[in-house]
Amino acid sequence: QVQLVESGGGLVQPGGSLELSCAASGFTLAGYSIGWFRQAPGKERDGVTCINTRATRFIDAVVGRFTIHRDNAKNTVYLQMNRLQPEDAAVYYCAAVKYAGLLCPLVPHEYDYWGQGTQVTVSS
């Protein structure tokens, strides 16, 4: 059974850091594009960053603050978020798709498998 499980969310003050994890089971992440998405209340689910075997992509709003990396031995992808701001607060989801393109996609409808999400709250 294919499953993605996010963890690492929580409450952090503005300027703080969090590391989210996306652990996969039932398949091997190494052959997939993995994306991180976020959804704030009343807003659409938006792409944040993604990674495949060739490259990573980031939206402009997180460049220089967020990084993504994968640990194939642990079948896990990590999202390191630094200098968090209130506008980063959302439920964060990871997603996976077997994708052979040069660039991983940053749109939700391109992804086949989703985790349940983890809440990130940024507040003083």
Side-chain angles (χ1 to χ4, degrees):
Q1 181 181 357
V2 172
Q3 192 173 17
L4 294 170
V5 178
E6 302 97 334
S7 60
L11 172 64
V12 63
Q13 292 185 342
S17 298
L18 281 175
E19 183 178 68
L20 306 183
S21 300
C22 173
S25 60
F27 70 105
T28 302
L29 279 178
Y32 285 70
S33 288
I34 307 300
W36 281 98
F37 297 81
R38 62 187 181 188
Q39 188 167 19
K43 295 188 177 181
E44 294 185 350
R45 189 172 300 187
D46 293 325
V48 176
T49 179
C50 63
I51 185 170
N52 63 12
T53 56
R54 296 184 178 92
T56 58
R57 297 176 69 189
F58 298 88
I59 59 170
D60 289 346
V62 305
V63 169
R65 299 190 298 124
F66 290 13
T67 59
I68 185 172
H69 72 277
R70 64 201 305 162
D71 184 332
N72 290 335
K74 295 183 178 180
N75 216 30
T76 300
V77 171
Y78 301 92
L79 175 62
Q80 177 67 44
M81 306 185 295
N82 299 322
R83 304 202 309 273
L84 283 161
Q85 299 302 317
E87 54 266 34
D88 296 315
V91 177
Y92 281 71
Y93 300 88
C94 68
V97 63
K98 195 163 183 64
Y99 194 76
L102 178 62
L103 295 177
C104 50
L106 270 177
V107 288
H109 71 260
E110 295 280 358
Y111 285 82
D112 295 325
Y113 306 111
W114 289 85
Q116 82 290 347
T118 185
Q119 178 72 50
V120 172
T121 303
V122 185
S123 175
S124 56

